[in-house]
């Protein structure tokens, strides 16, 4: 009996030694740097495990299998892969082993962050102890069973147990004393597990306009004039492509009721409670929703805005005369004008030819390009010929015989030509850009200050948009709450007719508004369309249940739809283009009387002043003449 006990003890020691080698080789193959083990206990065994892993540069922690193991404390990891081994050959009751697997499932520890290795006696007993309710395509779970003088390893996973999936057992490799670990399953887990064998996946989305007598699947695949559900149709089309890639079927669920005070909606609530696996309705990303569910990928570019027409101004703008040049340019022009008057006065005085008033009129004539021909450049050439070759001028109150006066006079007119051309070019540029400069900037505060009447299309996500914490939206929400409830929302066609009139801004999704605008608006009306965003350009995401079985595979599938061009094709199919208008025709519009009124008023003002001065001169002349006759 004593000899028999010694032999049994030696066999146990030898078995532990080989088990340590199996665990060691497996963790090195998986490139794990941190390991937690549940062993049979014993100081020597734990010391052998720690020594073997420390020699390989792996941090290891061991615990003795028992009834009171805190799985969350032992196996929690958020940022790196953690290796876990469990020895089921220990003299421990099955209940304690089941508790370990149940707790691991409760805290979702069968994902890609945990690499499990189970040392079992036989497959039937080991599988009976497992809890595979949270197993998925990302699970790394290997069972090692003894065979002759080595071990055989099996890869275990389940796509989705509650979807009807079954446990799959695949040969992973072998281990023996001479060759060590021999892995035969080298293909990536996503490639070898991509066939989901037509299991049913529950996907839900918000639908608001489906006819009662039409099938849901038929409606989601149909492209018709009803555009309110295009977000859901787009998301569903992407999930259909992903389901085809990985061979699973969709159990499609329609959500058509959204409680008024529910900011997150029935889809997010259902995913949080794991009533559905996936959502095919693209939704906004908010902090609260990220706490409830997981985002697979952002797929739908969305925005909403207030639309209205910006009509040409009907007010006379006297600044149009001065706007082509900046204030600094006008200030510098006035300074140079005074300098030129002084310089010419000094030159002309040295020649004893003219007075101050004649000098000023010469400068004014140069600036106004008053020549003998209509084109200023022709006049400049003629002036050069007269000054340099002929050395005389006509139409001026003096004769210039010295070189200094000719140079000063010539540079004055050249300066006038350059200023004249710059001013003319600025006038043309201002005229071409007048339609853009009059449009309101993209600000809700500017929209409120404009005093326009506001309305909106009543959709299910409008209250979510108003719940944004940005300063611009909060300021707008305070104003929106002051509007009577019956005046806030209008039907789509009524709102678009309101846009056709000035002074009304209508909020809606451009996807449903653009096709109607393109049919009803003229070219000029489309060019006058202005948008102020409530929801800035954002990318809405498709969502999955928290720690869902299909989170990773749907993300990979959606990325493949990007690279294959499927997403771009579906985006063109379910979105609406911006209304087209002829820009060339718009830019060639005629100058209106309102735009020319400042220039006409300037002309009339000059004529009136001239007439008044003329009358005053005649009065003074006659008064002086009468006084002189009486004096005689």
């Amino acid at each position: 009996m004593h000899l028999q006990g010694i032999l049994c003890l030696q066999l146990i020691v030898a078995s532990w030694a080989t088990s340590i080698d199996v665990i060691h080789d497996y963790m090195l193959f998986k490139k794990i740097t941190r390991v937690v083990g549940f062993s049979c206990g014993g100081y020597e065994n734990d010391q052998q495990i720690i020594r073997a892993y420390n020699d390989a540069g792996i941090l290891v922690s061991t615990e003795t299998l028992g009834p009171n193991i805190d799985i969350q404390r032992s196996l929690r990891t958020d940022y790196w892969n953690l290796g876990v081994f469990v020895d089921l050959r220990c003299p421990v009751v099955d209940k304690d082993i089941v508790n370990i697997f149940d707790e691991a499932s409760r805290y979702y520890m069968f994902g890609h962050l945990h690499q499990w290795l189970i040392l079992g006696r036989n497959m039937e007993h080991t599988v009976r102890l497992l809890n595979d309710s949270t197993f998925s395509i990302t699970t790394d779970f290997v069972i090692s069973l003894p065979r002759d003088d080595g071990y055989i390893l099996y890869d275990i996973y389940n796509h989705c147990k509650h979807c009807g999936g079954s446990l799959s057992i695949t040969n992973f490799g072998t281990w023996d004393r001479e060759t060590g670990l021999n892995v035969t399953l080298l293909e990536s887990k996503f490639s070898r597990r991509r066939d989901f064998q037509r299991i049913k996946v529950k996907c839900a989305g918000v639908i608001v306009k489906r006819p009662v007598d039409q099938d849901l699947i038929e409606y989601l695949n149909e492209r018709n004039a009803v555009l309110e559900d295009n977000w859901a149709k787009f998301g569903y089309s992407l999930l259909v492509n992903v389901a085809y890639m990985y061979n699973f079927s969709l159990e499609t669920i329609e959500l058509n009721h959204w409680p008024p005070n529910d900011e997150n909606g029935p889809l997010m609530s259902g995913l949080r409670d794991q009533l559905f696996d996936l959502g095919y309705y693209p939704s906004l990303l908010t902090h609260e929703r990220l706490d409830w569910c997981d985002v697979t990928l952002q797929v739908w570019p969305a925005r909403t805005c207030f639309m209205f027409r910006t009509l040409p101004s009907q007010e006379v703008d006297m600044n149009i005369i001065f706007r082509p040049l900046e204030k600094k340019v006008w200030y510098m022009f006035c300074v140079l004008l005074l300098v030129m008057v002084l310089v010419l006065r000094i030159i002309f005085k040295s020649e004893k030819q003219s007075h101050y008033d004649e000098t000023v009129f010469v400068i004014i004539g140069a600036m106004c390009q008053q020549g003998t021909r209509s084109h200023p450049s022709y006049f400049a050439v003629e002036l050069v010929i007269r000054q340099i070759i002929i050395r005389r001028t006509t139409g001026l109150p003096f004769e210039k015989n010295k070189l200094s006066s000719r140079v000063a006079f010539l540079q004055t007119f050249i300066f006038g030509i350059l200023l004249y051309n710059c001013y003319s070019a600025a006038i043309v540029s201002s005229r071409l850009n007048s339609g853009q400069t009059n449009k309101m900037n993209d600000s809700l505060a500017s929209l409120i200050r404009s005093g326009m009447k506001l309305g909106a299309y009543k959709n299910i996500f409008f209250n979510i948009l108003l719940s944004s914490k940005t300063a611009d939206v909060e300021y707008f929400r305070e104003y929106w709450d002051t509007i009577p409830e019956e005046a806030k929302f209008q039907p789509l066609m009524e709102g678009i007719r309101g846009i056709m009139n000035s002074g009304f801004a209508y909020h809606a999704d451009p996807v449903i508004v653009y096709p109607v605008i393109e049919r009803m608006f003229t070219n000029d009306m489309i060019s006058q369309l202005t948008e102020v965003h409530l929801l800035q350009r954002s990318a809405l995401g498709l969502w999955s249940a928290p720690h869902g079985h299909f989170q990773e595979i749907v993300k990979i599938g959606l990325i493949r739809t990007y690279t294959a061009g499927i997403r771009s094709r579906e985006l063109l199919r379910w979105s609406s283009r911006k209304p087209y208008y002829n820009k060339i025709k718009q830019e060639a519009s005629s100058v209106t009387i309102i735009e020319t009124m400042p220039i006409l008023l300037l002309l009339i003002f000059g004529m009136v002043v001239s007439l008044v001065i003329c009358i005053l001169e005649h009065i003074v002349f006659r008064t002086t003449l009468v006084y002189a006759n009486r004096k005689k």
Side-chain angles (χ1 to χ4, degrees), residues 458-477:
K458 193 170 185 178
N459 47 34
I460 56 178
F461 54 82
F462 186 77
N463 290 334
I464 299 177
L465 302 181
L466 292 180
S467 65
S468 174
K469 302 301 182 182
T470 60
D472 207 23
V473 176
E474 287 185 344
Y475 177 72
F476 173 78
R477 184 171 61 248

Side-chain angles (χ1 to χ4, degrees), residues 28 289 433 515:
L28 285 180
R289 287 179 173 180
N433 295 325

Side-chain angles (χ1 to χ4, degrees), residues 47-87:
Q47 286 298 316
Q48 289 180 5
I49 295 173
I50 293 172
R51 187 180 303 112
Y53 279 95
N54 286 343
D55 292 342
I58 299 175
L59 301 177
V60 62
S61 172
T62 61
E63 292 189 37
T64 303
L65 282 173
N68 299 315
I69 296 178
D70 190 347
I71 294 297
Q72 186 180 19
R73 180 185 62 83
S74 302
L75 302 184
R76 180 175 179 180
T77 178
D78 295 321
Y79 306 107
W80 54 75
N81 287 348
L82 181 67
V84 184
F85 70 87
V86 182
D87 192 348

Side-chain angles (χ1 to χ4, degrees), residues 381-436:
V381 174
E382 185 179 13
L383 180 62
V384 171
I385 296 174
R386 287 183 176 182
Q387 293 285 28
I388 298 177
I389 300 178
I390 305 176
R391 294 192 178 185
R392 65 184 182 84
T393 58
T394 59
L396 292 174
F398 48 81
E399 295 289 336
K400 297 177 287 298
N401 298 319
K402 293 186 178 182
L403 183 60
S404 60
S405 62
R406 295 199 300 273
V407 171
F409 191 65
L410 181 61
Q411 64 85 27
T412 301
F413 273 88
I414 291 176
F415 174 74
I417 289 173
L418 296 177
L419 182 66
Y420 177 85
N421 289 331
C422 289
Y423 188 86
S424 300
I427 283 285
V428 175
S429 177
S430 177
R431 175 68 181 85
L432 292 176
N433 295 325
S434 60
Q436 300 295 329

Side-chain angles (χ1 to χ4, degrees), residues 23 26-27 30 32 36-38 71 75 82-88 97 99-105 108-119 130 134-135 138-144 153-156 172:
I23 300 169
Y26 177 79
M27 295 302 173
K30 286 291 187 176
I32 302 298
V36 174
F38 299 96
I71 294 297
L75 302 184
L82 181 67
V84 184
F85 70 87
V86 182
D87 192 348
L88 302 186
I97 304 298
N99 181 66
I100 291 177
F101 292 136
D102 288 346
E103 289 295 302
S105 295
Y108 302 99
M109 292 179 177
F110 293 115
H112 60 277
L113 290 179
H114 294 80
Q115 313 282 332
W116 291 78
L117 177 63
I118 308 300
L119 304 174
L130 293 182
T134 59
F135 278 27
T138 64
T139 299
D140 283 286
F141 195 93
V142 172
I143 296 177
S144 173
L153 285 74
Y154 297 92
D155 179 64
I156 310 295
F172 182 81

